[in-house]
Amino acid sequence: MRCQHVLTLVTGFIECICFAGVTFGWASLVFVLKNEKYFQDLCQDIRNQTDNSTADCSAQDEQFSIIFTVAAFANTFMALPCGYIFDRLGTALTRFIAILLYTTATLLIALSKPDTAVLLFPALSFLATGGILFLMTNMQVGNLFGSQRSTIITFYNGAFDSSSVIFLVVKVLYQNGISLQTVFLFISSCSICHILRTIFLMPRTHIPFPVPEGFSYGLKCEKHDPKRANLKHSLAPSNDEEKDKKDDVTDHSLNSIIKHVSPLMSASSGSHLPASDRWTEDPNLQEATSKVTTHLDKKHTEVSFRSCVFSSLFIWHLVWLSLMQLRHYLFIGTLNPTITHLSGGDLDKVSTYTNVFAVSQFFGVVCAPWNGLLMDRHKKKQKDSDKLDDLRSSILSLSMTAVQCMLFSMCASIPMLPALYPTFILQVINRSFLYGGNAAFLSVVFPPQYFGKLFGLASAFSAVISLLQYPAFYIIRIYLDGDPFYVNIFLLILMLLAFVHPINVFRICRQEKNARKAPEGQCEL
């Protein structure tokens, strides 16, 4: 069984790094599409004073930018309905939807021609949505490895970030004579591997945490084992309607118990024993009361999705995530004009710095596990393993991510070309910590049955906030003559709000710790 867990982990990593986040390598694919003359009809010839004609392809570039903008927005905003689908339908059905979207996207690109370039709009959106579903269903694999859960979650998020290099591979293959259609038909055929992995190496519903003894998943040919069947049935998550039905059945059973208690109490009322003695000596009454009390305590302590959404932990987490994601989107969006502005229009320097930035993005898979290792190592130092320890272990991770973003913003604000090298390094480290830490925080702090919806809600909210980059682009282009210096300074100041989140987590941990000590102090008094 341990071998199956490792195989699930390795194939999940391959799936994330080769398929999940390829959309963010769009710049490399644009190079190929331009050579294939996609949207070439939008270019216009401009004649200069020497009667030489030059092509103005700004309309073509704008069309490619719109395609990526729609796909990037779909990648983050669609995480909300995708999270609901994942929580509601389970892993298998969610992955089949992802495979359908992804295969449709790659086939649209493979079958598209310059005359049907409009197919790229749905293709990139389907590709982004299918990719985020692959990532979402794979992050639960961390539950199989207990104390290394945060490390694996961040590792998968790093693989998602690094998968943008796949379109660079597509570009290299194209330059070596392999057609775009052949490459994407091959990627489409890989859907067979996704289907086989879904059937044999992924659960039908979800992977619980902690994983109970005897838990198994994947299609198997084995003899019927009543004990294992009961275990799987008990572990299988149900939707809200089924849960309500089960609660009604339980309530009906409890009513029957209460009805059974009443005659017992009535029958005993005529005896000469005091009420407290009659209560103590009747074992049936004790058992019935114990069941009622246990059920009421369970329903009382059950955490609702609404309470999670409106908690200060989640609200400040939204602020923390949205501000830093906006900072990264603005940096990437203004990178080319910034390099052009600082280099005085030197195309060689622009090409060199752009290539350095593209290569640096691949190292996200190396940087991402650092955050998970930090959380898991800090948690191991605690004697007890509970939610308070999980929450406490996230403080250092959240703080370090905010500090990295501050340093990244400071370097990005320096109007010098050499300053871009440390900026690139800090950007890839901070991005890996940001997205890996986001998933790890939501998984260890909130109930696992709400992970998909909370992850999707956080992504959707941050996607809406990221739309603020467009007025920022407008201000830089119209009022600041292409120089983002003052916008960078404003964002640097705004990043201070990100520190409120770890401070709030520390405050809650302290309050909870004091609350646990309070009963002990009262007993001593």
Side-chain angles (χ1 to χ4, degrees):
M1 187 58 64
R2 183 67 179 177
C3 180
Q4 185 191 29
H5 293 179
V6 173
L7 194 59
T8 301
L9 173 67
V10 173
T11 54
F13 170 76
I14 294 173
E15 190 173 76
C16 286
I17 200 170
C18 293
F19 300 96
V22 296
T23 309
F24 293 98
W26 175 244
S28 299
L29 186 61
V30 167
F31 175 87
V32 178
L33 295 174
K34 283 186 174 181
N35 282 347
E36 289 288 306
K37 303 186 184 305
Y38 281 66
F39 300 113
Q40 186 73 30
D41 57 310
L42 298 177
C43 294
Q44 298 177 351
D45 289 337
I46 300 176
R47 293 188 176 275
N48 55 27
Q49 296 178 351
T50 59
D51 291 336
N52 293 326
S53 62
T54 57
D56 177 18
C57 294
S58 57
Q60 181 191 36
D61 293 334
E62 182 180 359
Q63 200 74 0
F64 284 127
S65 297
I66 293 173
I67 292 173
F68 175 73
T69 299
V70 174
F73 182 79
N75 183 78
T76 50
F77 186 81
M78 288 302 293
L80 177 59
C82 288
Y84 180 82
I85 291 171
F86 178 49
D87 287 343
R88 189 83 173 178
L89 301 181
T91 302
L93 288 177
T94 303
R95 285 183 59 82
F96 283 130
I97 293 173
I99 294 168
L100 176 63
L101 290 172
Y102 205 92
T103 306
T104 303
T106 51
L107 286 176
L108 285 175
I109 297 175
L111 300 177
S112 66
K113 303 288 183 182
D115 296 338
T116 57
V118 70
L119 292 176
L120 294 176
F121 280 94
L124 262 292
S125 296
F126 290 165
L127 200 66
T129 306
I132 198 66
L133 281 172
F134 279 146
L135 175 64
M136 193 176 294
T137 55
N138 275 312
M139 283 190 292
Q140 62 179 327
V141 174
N143 293 347
L144 296 173
F145 296 89
S147 59
Q148 287 81 37
R149 180 168 56 146
S150 299
T151 303
I152 292 171
I153 291 173
T154 53
F155 189 54
Y156 276 178
N157 277 268
F160 178 86
D161 292 338
S162 298
S163 63
S164 58
V165 77
I166 295 301
F167 277 172
L168 179 61
V169 175
V170 173
K171 176 189 171 187
V172 172
L173 292 174
Y174 176 81
Q175 290 174 324
N176 284 274
I178 301 177
S179 68
L180 183 68
Q181 287 71 26
T182 301
V183 174
F184 275 93
L185 284 174
F186 172 77
I187 296 176
S188 298
S189 66
C190 292
S191 296
I192 298 174
C193 300
H194 298 317
I195 293 173
L196 292 176
R197 182 169 183 269
T198 301
I199 295 173
F200 294 102
L201 293 177
M202 294 297 286
R204 183 180 61 84
T205 53
H206 299 91
I207 299 176
F209 183 82
V211 177
E213 185 179 355
F215 174 76
S216 63
Y217 59 91
L219 185 64
K220 298 182 182 66
C221 295
E222 58 184 5
K223 295 181 179 180
H224 179 70
D225 186 349
K227 294 183 179 179
R228 177 164 292 184
N230 291 334
L231 176 63
K232 289 182 178 179
H233 182 268
S234 64
L235 291 173
S238 58
N239 55 32
D240 295 335
E241 294 179 359
E242 291 175 343
K243 185 176 180 181
D244 291 338
K245 289 179 181 179
K246 289 182 179 179
D247 285 341
D248 292 338
V249 172
T250 306
D251 291 338
H252 178 72
S253 301
L254 288 170
N255 289 333
S256 299
I257 293 174
I258 293 172
K259 289 179 181 178
H260 179 65
V261 170
S262 299
L264 289 175
M265 295 180 68
S266 300
S268 303
S269 60
S271 69
H272 299 286
L273 288 173
S276 58
D277 293 341
R278 292 198 304 269
W279 178 269
T280 304
E281 292 189 3
D282 196 328
N284 294 328
L285 198 57
Q286 285 181 332
E287 182 181 358
T289 306
S290 176
K291 289 182 179 180
V292 173
T293 306
T294 302
H295 177 72
L296 293 176
D297 288 343
K298 182 178 179 182
K299 292 181 74 69
H300 177 71
T301 57
E302 191 175 86
V303 180
S304 67
F305 176 71
R306 180 184 176 86
S307 64
C308 293
V309 171
F310 290 99
S311 65
S312 63
L313 281 174
F314 187 70
I315 291 173
W316 280 112
H317 186 72
L318 289 180
V319 174
W320 178 86
L321 174 65
S322 301
L323 288 178
M324 285 191 274
Q325 179 171 277
L326 176 62
R327 167 69 270 190
H328 282 271
Y329 279 10
L330 275 171
F331 175 74
I332 296 172
T334 60
L335 181 61
N336 186 268
T338 298
I339 297 174
T340 304
H341 177 77
L342 294 177
S343 64
D346 189 332
L347 294 181
D348 290 335
K349 289 184 178 180
V350 172
S351 177
T352 300
Y353 280 91
T354 302
N355 290 340
V356 171
F357 174 75
V359 172
S360 69
Q361 300 307 294
F362 177 72
F363 292 94
V365 68
V366 180
C367 302
W370 299 350
N371 196 8
L373 286 169
L374 186 69
M375 294 180 67
D376 290 335
R377 182 177 178 83
H378 183 71
K379 187 166 59 175
K380 285 178 183 179
K381 295 180 180 180
Q382 310 299 330
K383 295 181 180 179
D384 299 323
S385 179
D386 58 12
K387 281 295 180 183
L388 183 60
D389 293 332
D390 290 334
L391 191 61
R392 190 185 295 113
S393 68
S394 68
I395 296 175
L396 183 58
S397 169
L398 297 172
S399 302
M400 285 191 63
T401 306
V403 170
Q404 290 167 3
C405 195
M406 285 291 293
L407 295 174
F408 159 58
S409 300
M410 289 172 62
C411 290
S413 302
I414 300 174
M416 296 174 59
L417 276 177
L420 288 176
Y421 289 115
T423 304
F424 293 160
I425 296 172
L426 288 169
Q427 189 269 342
V428 70
I429 294 174
N430 184 239
R431 190 184 70 165
S432 300
F433 267 67
L434 175 63
Y435 292 116
N438 168 49
F441 179 82
L442 294 176
S443 67
V444 302
V445 173
F446 296 102
Q449 65 267 29
Y450 301 140
F451 172 76
K453 291 190 283 288
L454 291 174
F455 181 83
L457 182 60
S459 299
F461 182 83
S462 62
V464 173
I465 297 299
S466 69
L467 294 177
L468 293 174
Q469 63 183 303
Y470 300 108
F473 291 155
Y474 182 82
I475 293 172
I476 292 171
R477 183 168 58 89
I478 301 298
Y479 297 104
L480 300 178
D481 297 326
D483 185 2
F485 177 75
Y486 292 105
V487 173
N488 287 334
I489 294 298
F490 174 75
L491 287 173
L492 179 62
I493 298 172
L494 197 62
M495 285 304 108
L496 293 173
L497 285 175
F499 287 95
V500 178
H501 186 29
I503 293 173
N504 181 60
V505 173
F506 175 79
R507 177 187 63 83
I508 291 175
C509 287
R510 184 131 187 188
Q511 288 180 348
E512 180 66 20
K513 185 177 180 180
N514 292 336
R516 291 185 180 186
K517 289 182 178 179
E520 297 178 3
Q522 291 174 0
C523 290
E524 291 176 359
L525 292 174

